[in-house]
Amino acid sequence: MNKKPFETESKRLIDLMINSIYTHREIFLRELISNASDAIEKIYYQTLSDESLTFDRDNYYIKVIPDKTNRLLRIIDTGIGMSQQELEDNLGVIAKSGSLSFKKDNEIKDGFDIIGQFGVGFYSAFMVADNVTVISRAFGSEEAFKWESQGADGYTVEPWTKDEVGTEIILKIKENSEDERYDEYLEEYRLKSIIKKYSDFIRYPIKMDMSRRRLKEGSEDEYEDYTEEEILNSMVPIWRKNKNELGTEDYENFYAEKRYGFDKPIKHIHISVAGAVDYNAILFIPEKIPFDYYTREYEKGLELYSNGVLIMNKCPDLLPDYFSFVKGMVDSEDLSLNISREMLQHDRQLKLIAKNLNNKIKSELESILKNEREKYEEFFKSFGRQLKYGVYDGFGSNKETLQELLMFYSSQEKKLVTLDEYVSRMPAEQKYIYYAAGESIERIEKLPQAELVSDKGYEILYFTDDVDEFAIKMLMNYQEKEIKSVASGDLGIEMPESEADRDGEKEQKELFAYMKDKLGDRVKAVRASKRLKSHAVCLSNEGELTIEMEKILNAMPSNQNIKADKILEINVNHEVFKSLSRAFEDDKEKLDLYTELLYNQALLIEGLPIHDPVAFTNSICKIMQ
Ligand code: ADP
């Protein structure tokens, strides 16, 4: 019998499979079972178009038979089978959609990645077997044929006998080597768990005879072994079930079963879409942050199924980064099993699905915010930071999607509020949306800069997350109201002019110029404050970069010693100002000392480090003496 050579692409793929150091070899079973399921499906479609045929579901199944003694694993299906020609055409030539057929030789090492995420089809059998036999009898034919191959050097086809229509694949499982174990692919429990993992939702029963042991009849201590056929897959996926038939508990079980998380999700979203693209999806919004969520290690993505078969564990293209906390799966009939990662990224259907999901997640979050406020606040405490990153990351391009979902702590409500709520409470004359940034609510509450705004009775949003100000800089305004830091130059609030303001304006100017000179480029200017009432001194900033942002940027590993433009503001109605004026008149040495002290105090209030703490405390002692 003549051995026929494989077509070039196939040969290369088989080579890759044989030499595979890939750790997820188990997927060969998924591939073979999917093929079997497709073959049954093909009969089903024939019966749809041919009235003389009926499709009796009970007659169609897939059976997996491990045989440890002979190291054989058999996978039998009652599908459409293959003729001699089809055996040669289908198994001698890699499917043109096959992900590796596009890869050049030098790229083939990356192939390992692809094996894990996409079907590579029938040839994956060579990852675990050194001999693969396919016995098949085509639907409507009396003849059967046997196809056999030991690897890349070719295959043989010869007539054979087979009682029933369908295909039987026989794998001669490789011997264990020093560092590779193949025995597991002959273990009933291992096979069962692989099938559960990848093929649970195949629509036809996957059967296996499971070994069991029982007490011998009539005996109290004698046992006997027997086998019992078990159906290993559940067949009907939850996402294909009718929503009305399912309770929250079913979804929670699915969430746990899938190990999406160890918490209870706060919400599930069950989507069934038919139209431009057909798909089912079940998404979850988790309650708790996964331990690695805000780290580089965290991988976003949804499970992707093509017609009930898992093709990718974490498809990142289905979720935008700002919704990376969402867990779940998508099943679409419109996706091909053998599709490469690069192709998937550009897949039109997938893009459509991703867009749909994005809208669904957004509207679901909005509805939780509206109807289940407490739940939303819990959610926001876990994942709000990610939404804010989203605003920042997209340079404001995600603003439309996200701005309504943001929350900040309110000085008045003493809890998280939305920008909408803030704006709806604004008195008519209030020009801006105000915020104050700092390390904690307690610290912000004591900020002198916030004094005027608070006294006016205006609400202030407290920014305690690193990302807050950066995100807000991208938003800039909300409902046409500019968002302003209480420490920024112009607060849009008129200060009643005091006596001190009117008198000695010239004198003030000279004093502040002197102080600025003394402080050098540590400050941009020294000015009479338009925001302080009871406090003596504070820092404010000019320009885009705020003092909080300076702190955050400088705390980063790539610290570039960034400086905000700082203004030292002095309260001219404060007793301290009188002391400054007096010192300016007759004791410059004292004024120098006061200037340093006030500047350092302002730094301390901001939580900024003072350059020379020892000099600072010495100065205080000097005054006390
Ligand atoms: P793919 O399934 O992506 O087309 P495969 O390499 O897995 O690629 O299979 C190639 C072809 O062989 C299939 O398209 C199918 O026509 C045929 N085939 C494989 N397994 C079976 C089977 N169990 N029964 C019938 N046909 C099969």
Side-chain angles (χ1 to χ4, degrees):
M1 195 179 13
N2 268 343
K3 207 170 237 178
K4 300 191 179 169
F6 281 109
E7 177 249 19
T8 337
E9 293 290 355
S10 306
K11 190 166 148 35
R12 230 173 50 203
L13 186 53
I14 293 171
D15 264 335
L16 176 64
M17 293 299 148
I18 291 169
N19 302 313
S20 172
I21 45 155
Y22 186 63
T23 47
H24 294 89
R25 289 200 191 85
E26 62 192 30
I27 60 121
F28 80 92
L29 194 53
R30 171 190 79 176
E31 297 298 310
L32 298 182
I33 287 177
S34 293
N35 281 347
S37 165
D38 288 349
I40 298 175
E41 199 89 317
K42 281 177 189 159
I43 292 197
Y44 172 65
Y45 281 119
Q46 287 220 344
T47 59
L48 286 183
S49 56
D50 185 342
E51 280 177 14
S52 66
L53 300 170
T54 50
F55 186 81
D56 182 356
R57 270 197 176 264
D58 294 345
N59 295 336
Y60 297 96
Y61 61 85
I62 298 157
K63 184 148 186 176
V64 177
I65 307 171
D67 169 359
K68 271 190 194 169
T69 325
N70 300 306
R71 288 191 84 76
L72 296 179
L73 179 63
R74 293 156 66 209
I75 296 133
I76 298 166
D77 69 62
T78 55
I80 198 148
M82 285 175 273
S83 65
Q84 178 174 18
Q85 191 62 45
E86 282 166 338
L87 278 169
E88 299 205 9
D89 289 350
N90 294 339
L91 306 183
V93 179
I94 185 170
K96 277 299 162 219
S97 65
S99 47
L100 286 195
S101 63
F102 305 100
K103 290 255 158 196
K104 298 193 196 72
D105 271 332
N106 53 2
E107 287 173 46
I108 219 155
K109 280 187 209 72
D110 311 340
F112 296 121
D113 218 25
I114 293 167
I115 303 169
Q117 307 195 317
F118 302 96
V120 284
F122 171 76
Y123 296 133
S124 61
F126 287 101
M127 286 199 286
V128 298
D130 40 29
N131 185 313
V132 179
T133 307
V134 182
I135 298 165
S136 199
R137 179 174 149 190
F139 184 67
S141 163
E142 299 293 320
E143 297 177 306
F145 291 89
K146 185 177 92 165
W147 178 102
E148 192 170 0
S149 169
Q150 275 93 34
D153 59 336
Y155 61 89
T156 56
V157 181
E158 62 190 292
W160 210 251
T161 50
K162 191 173 185 311
D163 293 340
E164 279 156 24
V165 168
T167 303
E168 172 170 357
I169 297 189
I170 306 163
L171 307 180
K172 174 91 178 149
I173 298 293
K174 291 183 188 177
E175 294 291 339
N176 288 341
S177 67
E178 229 164 78
D179 35 35
E180 303 295 345
R181 297 191 57 77
Y182 296 93
D183 284 358
E184 56 183 291
Y185 303 117
L186 295 163
E187 301 285 349
E188 287 170 12
Y189 280 93
R190 177 76 177 110
L191 293 167
K192 178 175 170 172
S193 90
I194 298 173
I195 290 166
K196 263 268 171 243
K197 179 170 174 191
Y198 294 105
S199 312
D200 196 39
F201 309 115
I202 289 285
R203 276 183 271 183
Y204 305 96
I206 305 167
K207 300 175 180 177
M208 188 155 77
D209 293 330
M210 299 296 284
S211 308
R212 300 195 207 287
R213 169 164 284 209
R214 67 184 160 203
L215 221 47
K216 250 189 182 157
E217 231 179 58
S219 160
E220 291 196 349
D221 51 5
E222 253 190 294
Y223 287 87
E224 63 178 358
D225 293 328
Y226 72 106
T227 61
E228 191 171 28
E229 190 175 72
E230 207 181 297
I231 294 176
L232 305 176
N233 55 331
S234 64
M235 291 194 274
V236 183
I238 172 171
W239 60 87
R240 289 234 178 94
K241 287 188 182 155
N242 195 324
K243 278 175 237 184
N244 307 332
E245 292 167 26
L246 298 164
T248 306
E249 206 174 292
D250 294 312
Y251 292 103
E252 283 174 359
N253 284 341
F254 180 66
Y255 184 85
E257 205 178 283
K258 283 281 176 188
R259 298 197 183 277
Y260 289 144
F262 298 106
D263 55 344
K264 263 204 179 119
I266 62 162
K267 206 80 199 175
H268 64 260
I269 313 171
H270 190 158
I271 309 164
S272 302
V273 173
V277 53
D278 289 358
Y279 72 93
N280 293 293
I282 296 184
L283 307 183
F284 293 96
I285 298 168
E287 182 196 14
K288 299 214 169 73
I289 318 180
F291 71 95
D292 61 348
Y293 186 61
Y294 287 110
T295 71
R296 245 177 244 268
E297 276 65 53
Y298 182 80
E299 272 180 78
K300 66 163 184 175
L302 300 176
E303 280 180 298
L304 186 60
Y305 289 81
S306 160
N307 215 356
V309 181
L310 181 69
I311 55 173
M312 198 169 175
N313 249 328
K314 280 189 177 163
C315 178
D317 308 314
L318 285 167
L319 289 175
D321 280 345
Y322 49 83
F323 289 152
S324 62
F325 47 82
V326 174
K327 302 277 182 187
M329 52 68 54
V330 173
D331 184 16
S332 175
E333 311 208 347
D334 298 333
L335 295 168
S336 145
L337 245 189
N338 278 328
I339 180 169
S340 78
R341 172 133 183 61
E342 302 84 70
M343 278 167 66
L344 200 54
Q345 252 168 11
H346 300 116
D347 191 87
R348 209 177 58 86
Q349 310 286 356
L350 200 75
K351 279 191 175 157
L352 263 177
I353 296 176
K355 199 168 152 227
N356 274 350
L357 295 181
N358 189 36
N359 294 339
K360 291 272 184 198
I361 297 167
K362 187 197 165 180
S363 61
E364 192 63 32
L365 288 173
E366 278 173 340
S367 119
I368 305 173
L369 173 61
K370 203 166 143 227
N371 306 315
E372 296 171 279
R373 178 66 175 224
E374 270 174 37
K375 246 189 195 177
Y376 190 82
E377 283 179 32
E378 276 311 303
F379 155 78
F380 198 83
K381 278 175 198 154
S382 298
F383 300 108
R385 234 167 101 196
Q386 190 63 17
L387 300 183
K388 294 184 278 192
Y389 276 125
V391 175
Y392 172 66
D393 221 28
F395 292 103
S397 65
N398 307 321
K399 155 168 141 171
E400 296 305 322
T401 317
L402 298 175
Q403 58 185 359
E404 271 121 43
L405 296 173
L406 300 182
M407 289 189 125
F408 300 99
Y409 183 87
S410 152
S411 61
Q412 287 183 355
E413 301 294 309
K414 307 284 178 213
K415 63 173 180 114
L416 292 172
V417 301
T418 64
L419 292 171
D420 245 349
E421 290 159 353
Y422 182 103
V423 170
S424 70
R425 281 193 287 266
M426 276 170 80
E429 83 283 359
Q430 186 182 334
K431 270 200 188 154
Y432 305 127
I433 296 173
Y434 296 106
Y435 74 84
E439 265 153 52
S440 64
I441 292 169
E442 295 71 35
R443 271 192 103 134
I444 298 176
E445 257 166 354
K446 295 189 183 120
L447 278 182
Q449 290 94 329
E451 225 181 354
L452 178 65
V453 181
S454 314
D455 275 14
K456 272 296 239 184
Y458 295 159
E459 187 172 358
I460 301 174
L461 299 174
Y462 288 3
F463 285 8
T464 50
D465 253 342
D466 284 2
V467 66
D468 287 347
E469 266 194 298
F470 294 89
I472 282 298
K473 291 273 168 216
M474 293 298 162
L475 278 190
M476 292 208 299
N477 45 49
Y478 185 77
Q479 291 186 9
E480 289 160 30
K481 304 277 182 203
E482 197 180 328
I483 307 173
K484 273 214 176 214
S485 161
V486 296
S488 68
D490 163 40
L491 287 177
I493 301 173
E494 285 296 321
M495 264 281 260
E497 222 177 317
S498 71
E499 274 173 49
D501 282 337
R502 255 170 287 138
D503 303 342
E505 214 174 283
K506 180 163 164 278
E507 203 183 305
Q508 254 185 43
K509 267 204 180 128
E510 283 169 13
L511 165 61
F512 291 151
Y514 180 91
M515 290 171 78
K516 151 73 189 145
D517 212 43
K518 189 72 209 148
L519 292 170
D521 50 12
R522 286 180 285 172
V523 298
K524 188 119 188 286
V526 180
R527 275 188 208 145
S529 177
K530 288 206 168 69
R531 77 188 85 228
L532 292 176
K533 295 184 85 174
S534 64
H535 297 273
V537 66
C538 75
L539 285 176
S540 64
N541 75 281
E542 254 177 15
E544 280 301 292
L545 194 72
T546 67
I547 294 166
E548 268 313 297
M549 290 164 95
E550 169 188 314
K551 275 197 265 178
I552 292 157
L553 292 172
N554 288 339
M556 288 179 175
S558 60
N559 167 12
Q560 288 152 5
N561 206 13
I562 290 154
K563 292 267 173 264
D565 287 338
K566 302 185 189 71
I567 312 291
L568 184 68
E569 296 195 4
I570 309 282
N571 182 352
V572 293
N573 299 310
H574 198 280
E575 285 300 316
V576 156
F577 180 68
K578 289 186 188 139
S579 307
L580 287 174
S581 300
R582 274 198 301 275
F584 185 53
E585 296 284 301
D586 50 46
D587 191 347
K588 288 280 162 26
E589 200 182 319
K590 206 179 215 170
L591 180 60
D592 292 352
L593 182 68
Y594 286 175
T595 305
E596 281 299 326
L597 275 176
L598 284 173
Y599 172 69
N600 281 316
Q601 283 179 35
L603 290 180
L604 283 175
I605 292 169
E606 287 301 324
L608 286 168
I610 46 183
H611 183 65
D612 188 347
V614 177
F616 176 68
T617 50
N618 284 345
S619 307
I620 293 176
C621 289
K622 205 163 159 189
I623 297 175
M624 290 170 75
Q625 278 157 18

